[in-house]
Every structure is written in structure tokens, then in C-alpha cells.
Amino acid sequence: NDKKLLALGAVQSLFEGSMYIFVSQWPPAVSRAVARKFGENVLVPYGTVFSCFMACCMLGSTLLNVNVTASLHTDSQLEKRAMKMFAMSALSIACTMHA
């Protein structure tokens, strides 16, 4: 009957679901984008793309850790920094969608 536990389970399920969708959909999406831009016979460097994804994940985790450590003084500072990070993420996604 704990609503926090139910919310945690729902958020975890939604996050994992979105990750599985991303993992299954990024190779075809990249293939189509490369074929459209450079032609059908160009090979996609999937290893390079995936390693860039992993490097960005590591960078994001590191930046979050730095922000959390630097914002231990008040929760409002952490919330403000988190909102800025989320806004930057949303902006970068929006820019790639229109490229």
C-alpha cells in the first residue's frame, strides 16, 4: 500500500521500457539517416556510434555527481542545477530532431 514504492516501480518500468525501445530502434534510424545523407552503399560505424553513446552516458553521470556533490548545501540549489541540465538535454534533443 506504499504509494512511493508504487511510484518508484512505475518510473523504473517506464525508464527500462524506453531504454529497450531506444536500443532496438537506434540502429535502423541511424542507417536510414546515413543512407539519406550519404547514399545507400555507405557503411554505418555502429561501434563508433555506440561508444559515443556510452561516453555521453559516462559524462552525464560524472556531471550529475559533480553537481550533487557541489549542491549539498541546499536542496533548492540541486533542483535548480537539475532543471538546467534537463533543459539542456531537451534542447539538444530538439536540435537533433530538426537537423
Side-chain angles (χ1 to χ4, degrees):
N1 289 346
D2 190 5
K3 293 186 182 217
K4 289 182 180 179
L5 186 59
L6 182 63
L8 176 65
V11 168
Q12 181 68 31
S13 297
L14 292 170
F15 175 79
E16 291 296 330
S18 67
M19 288 301 294
Y20 285 123
I21 290 169
F22 172 77
V23 166
S24 66
Q25 293 299 315
W26 79 264
V30 170
S31 294
R32 284 191 300 271
V34 168
R36 203 172 27 242
K37 182 77 173 179
F38 301 106
E40 293 289 331
N41 295 329
V42 176
L43 294 176
V44 178
Y46 291 111
T48 303
V49 174
F50 186 75
S51 64
C52 288
F53 286 155
M54 293 297 104
C56 289
C57 287
M58 185 183 71
L59 179 63
S61 296
T62 302
L63 289 176
L64 180 65
N65 187 30
V66 168
N67 282 329
V68 167
T69 305
S71 300
L72 288 177
H73 305 297
T74 63
D75 287 339
S76 65
Q77 288 177 339
L78 178 59
E79 289 174 8
K80 287 178 184 175
R81 287 182 184 211
M83 290 301 289
K84 288 178 184 176
M85 288 177 66
F86 292 143
M88 287 174 33
S89 298
L91 181 63
S92 65
I93 289 172
C95 289
T96 60
M97 292 177 83
H98 294 291

